[in-house]
């Protein structure tokens, strides 16, 4: 059905459609019957897909990446769509409008998007008010945090610490986002010494909050796909040495190699979707070979099908996330992927999804 209406939807501006979708999901968010209907249509429960990491149970390994529910408004409704977990944000200490519009561009011929949103969100405090009942969600809720655009990198640690102060009581896990290409100089925080200082400060803040009685939460780092091999090696080892709980690979790319002739290829921003499929899988495999035995990896980038997700799992991802794939495939994408994963596990003789993690990386 979604494929039938997608042509109509794609005639409208991407952000306009997104806002209408969020509005529709808000109608379901606080409606028990509404969520029950979505669950009946979209959810699949199968013990072979249940994944346990960091003491958290994920009913299946297919999550929704940050960027869709930026302000933590509809995470219950999204969980009802069959996702195994939902990540909200990116959230910054102060609300900010993001970059000027238009800032999202479809490249249908490539099943891709370019976005330069710029961490538009209403701020961490308002999100915290909406996250008070996160524990009642059917699936784990992640919180992705970043710095405000006007905060210089020398003061970035303060922004991430402020986010932790306001949000640490909520959510099942946290993500440090320093890999978006749409906030000026943000990726400079991936330089080894900057990265070490940032992770150390975030973990110290977490320890302080845990000392006040808050539950300990895993803290993950989201990395970019545009690093050189040597930088990737330095980044992931520094992150693990500083006590990071997991790695999310990867964010969007600034490369246009795969879409070079497209009329919108010259638009600034991060490219996501099908052109990132193989690139992100290669990074997952490389990261797994470096530190896969020490921390779990969440794979993201160009996942449209069960085969795409399975390739990332076999490369070393314990969990995967979709976003652009949902724009092109529709709200049933998690169900579709999970059904295919079950078939692929049976084909390869695996009794559980965890048995497939990293088999192509050894």
């Amino acid at each position: 059905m979604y494929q039938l209406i997608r042509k109509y939807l794609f005639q409208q501006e991407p952000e306009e459609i997104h806002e209408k979708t969020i509005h529709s999901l808000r109608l379901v968010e606080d409606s028990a019957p509404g969520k029950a209907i979505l669950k009946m249509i979209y959810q699949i429960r199968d013990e072979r897909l249940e994944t346990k990491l960091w003491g958290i149970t994920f009913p299946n390994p297919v999550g929704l990446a940050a960027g869709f529910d930026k302000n933590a408004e509809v995470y219950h409704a999204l969980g009802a769509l069959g996702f195994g977990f939902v990540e909200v944000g990116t959230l910054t200490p102060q609300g900010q409008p993001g970059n000027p519009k238009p800032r999202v561009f479809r490249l249908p011929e490539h099943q891709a998007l370019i976005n330069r949103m710029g961490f538009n969100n209403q701020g961490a405090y308002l999100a915290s008010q909406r996250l008070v009942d996160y524990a009642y969600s059917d699936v784990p809720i992640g919180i992705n945090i970043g710095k405000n655009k006007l905060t210089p990198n020398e003061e970035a640690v303060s922004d991430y610490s402020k986010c932790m102060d306001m949000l640490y009581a909520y959510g099942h896990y946290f993500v440090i986002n320093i890999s978006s290409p749409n906030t000026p100089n943000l990726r400079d925080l991936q330089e080894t010494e900057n990265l070490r200082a940032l992770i150390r400060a975030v973990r110290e803040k977490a320890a302080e909050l845990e000392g006040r009685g808050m539950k300990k939460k895993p803290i993950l780092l989201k990395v970019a796909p545009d690093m050189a091999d040597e930088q990737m090696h330095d980044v992931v080892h520094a992150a693990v040495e500083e006590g990071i709980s997991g790695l999310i690979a990867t964010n969007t790319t600034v490369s246009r190699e795969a879409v070079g002739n497209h009329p919108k290829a010259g638009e600034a921003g991060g490219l996501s979707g099908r052109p990132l499929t193989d690139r992100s899988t290669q990074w997952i495999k490389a990261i797994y070979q470096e530190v896969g035995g020490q921390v779990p990896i969440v794979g993201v980038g160009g996942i449209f099908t069960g085969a795409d997700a399975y390739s990332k799992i076999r490369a070393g991802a314990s969990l995967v996330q979709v976003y652009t794939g949902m724009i092109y495939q529709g709200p049933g994408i998690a169900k579709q992927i999970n059904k295919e994963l079950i078939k692929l596990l049976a084909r390869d003789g695996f009794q559980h999804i965890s048995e497939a993690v990293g088999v192509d990386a050894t």
Side-chain angles (χ1 to χ4, degrees):
M1 185 181 296
Y2 180 78
Q3 299 306 315
L4 293 175
I5 65 170
R6 192 180 77 182
K7 185 175 181 180
Y8 163 73
L9 294 176
F10 275 25
Q11 290 173 355
Q12 303 175 58
E13 286 296 318
E15 278 200 76
E16 182 182 345
I17 293 298
H18 181 82
E19 288 163 9
K20 288 178 180 178
T21 303
I22 294 292
H23 176 75
S24 298
L25 289 168
R26 278 198 211 104
L27 301 177
V28 179
E29 181 71 4
D30 298 317
S31 166
K35 289 197 288 285
I37 291 169
L38 290 183
K39 291 175 188 176
M40 184 172 62
I41 297 170
Y42 291 112
Q43 281 193 350
I44 289 180
R45 293 280 181 170
D46 193 300
E47 290 183 356
R48 289 169 291 182
L49 298 178
E50 188 176 283
T51 300
K52 294 184 179 180
L53 296 171
W54 312 296
I56 302 168
T57 299
F58 299 81
N60 68 70
V62 184
L64 180 62
F68 191 91
D69 189 9
K70 287 179 174 290
N71 295 302
E73 297 175 276
V74 292
Y75 56 91
H76 291 298
L78 290 168
L81 289 176
F83 292 104
F85 58 110
V86 174
E87 194 171 302
V88 304
T90 297
L91 293 162
T92 55
Q94 301 295 321
Q96 59 183 25
N99 293 320
K101 297 179 182 179
R103 53 194 180 181
V104 185
F105 308 91
R106 301 187 192 98
L107 291 72
E109 302 90 334
H110 298 282
Q111 292 187 293
L113 293 176
I114 292 173
N115 94 82
R116 50 171 180 266
M117 299 296 285
F119 289 171
N120 57 307
N121 73 107
Q122 296 169 2
Y125 175 75
L126 276 179
S128 73
Q129 303 306 294
R130 299 180 182 123
L131 285 161
V132 290
D133 62 347
Y134 83 94
Y136 297 102
S137 175
D138 287 339
V139 301
I141 305 301
I143 301 178
N144 187 301
I145 59 175
K147 79 171 188 73
N148 282 112
K149 181 178 180 178
L150 296 180
T151 302
N153 277 4
E154 311 86 74
E155 299 171 22
V157 164
S158 174
D159 271 15
Y160 288 90
S161 294
K162 288 174 184 174
C163 284
M164 295 289 283
D165 265 326
M166 287 185 272
L167 296 165
Y168 199 60
Y170 316 106
H172 294 88
Y173 70 89
F174 281 76
V175 179
I176 300 171
N177 188 350
I178 54 171
S179 53
S180 168
N182 301 320
T183 294
N185 304 317
L186 183 71
R187 288 186 171 185
D188 291 347
L189 295 174
Q190 290 184 139
E191 293 177 5
T192 306
E193 292 310 311
N194 291 338
L195 177 64
R196 286 185 182 276
L198 176 59
I199 295 174
R200 201 171 297 147
V202 170
R203 293 195 68 241
E204 286 173 359
K205 173 58 68 173
E208 174 192 324
L209 295 167
E210 290 154 17
R212 297 185 207 164
M214 293 186 192
K215 184 178 179 181
K216 185 175 183 179
K217 312 285 177 68
I219 299 171
L220 286 65
L221 177 72
K222 190 167 188 175
V223 299
D226 302 314
M227 297 181 286
D229 291 351
E230 185 177 349
Q231 186 186 11
M232 181 276 289
H233 173 93
D234 292 344
V235 163
V236 299
H237 282 279
V240 170
E241 288 167 11
E242 293 298 335
I244 210 74
S245 304
L247 295 160
I248 300 183
T250 61
N251 213 318
T252 58
T253 180
V254 295
S255 171
R256 297 293 186 268
E257 184 179 349
V259 297
N261 295 324
H262 194 279
K264 292 188 171 70
E267 295 288 351
L271 176 72
S272 62
R274 181 57 74 190
L276 203 56
T277 304
D278 292 339
R279 187 187 188 109
S280 63
T281 302
Q282 290 164 6
W283 274 119
I284 291 163
K285 183 175 181 180
I287 292 170
Y288 185 84
Q289 291 169 338
E290 292 280 347
V291 295
Q294 300 170 66
V295 297
I297 298 165
V298 180
V300 56
I303 297 175
F304 288 71
T305 66
D308 296 333
Y310 195 51
S311 292
K312 284 177 168 48
I313 290 165
R314 290 180 63 102
S318 295
L319 301 169
V320 296
Q321 292 178 319
V322 302
Y323 187 136
T324 303
M326 185 168 73
I327 305 302
Y328 283 92
Q329 302 291 93
I333 188 170
K335 180 179 181 179
Q336 167 204 327
I337 290 173
N338 282 314
K339 286 174 69 175
E340 290 179 38
L341 284 176
I342 291 168
K343 292 179 181 178
L344 290 165
L345 290 175
R347 182 198 70 185
D348 292 346
F350 294 127
Q351 300 300 310
H352 190 269
I353 193 73
S354 60
E355 298 172 26
V357 175
V359 295
D360 289 341
T362 55

